[in-house]
Amino acid sequence: PRSILQWNVGSHRDISPESLSLFRLLEPQIEILVLGTGDRVERLHPATLKQMRECGIAVEVQDTANACATFNFLMNERRMVAAGLIPP
């Protein structure tokens, strides 16, 4: 189902396994998480990305404008997708 949730992340430095746990709890389970890291693409800790992959969730990290476009495209394809977006 479509939902909007408050994500307590202010910058890419706040993205951690703990902050991403929200996305692992969604039902039905998502297959792709699109992360928008603000004005530019920021690197995330490899262990954080690995943990999501181990849960069966692919992670796509982009600047927020492109992350919004990717999210909309995947939704249009009826994929099980969620977005975590940090305003630019």
Side-chain angles (χ1 to χ4, degrees), residues 1-2 28-34 56-60 70-83:
R2 296 176 187 250
Q29 181 176 343
I30 62 170
E31 58 184 284
I32 303 169
L33 172 60
V34 181
I57 301 171
V59 179
E60 180 69 35
T70 299
F71 173 80
N72 289 332
F73 178 81
L74 292 169
M75 283 292 293
N76 194 44
E77 287 191 332
R78 305 224 185 273
R79 303 288 297 273
M80 296 303 296
V81 61

Side-chain angles (χ1 to χ4, degrees), residues 4-79:
I4 297 175
L5 305 170
Q6 177 71 29
W7 190 34
N8 193 19
V9 170
S11 81
H12 72 280
R13 291 178 203 87
D14 299 327
I15 298 174
S16 67
E18 293 78 25
S19 69
L20 294 178
S21 66
L22 166 70
F23 299 102
R24 293 191 307 271
L25 298 173
L26 296 175
E27 287 292 332
Q29 181 176 343
I30 62 170
E31 58 184 284
I32 303 169
L33 172 60
V34 181
L35 293 175
T37 57
D39 287 325
R40 61 189 188 140
V41 178
E42 300 288 352
R43 294 182 55 91
L44 301 183
H45 195 281
T48 300
L49 299 174
K50 181 181 177 195
Q51 183 186 49
M52 295 302 283
R53 280 193 308 272
E54 289 172 350
C55 293
I57 301 171
V59 179
E60 180 69 35
V61 181
Q62 301 177 339
D63 62 86
T64 298
N66 285 311
C68 290
T70 299
F71 173 80
N72 289 332
F73 178 81
L74 292 169
M75 283 292 293
N76 194 44
E77 287 191 332
R78 305 224 185 273
R79 303 288 297 273

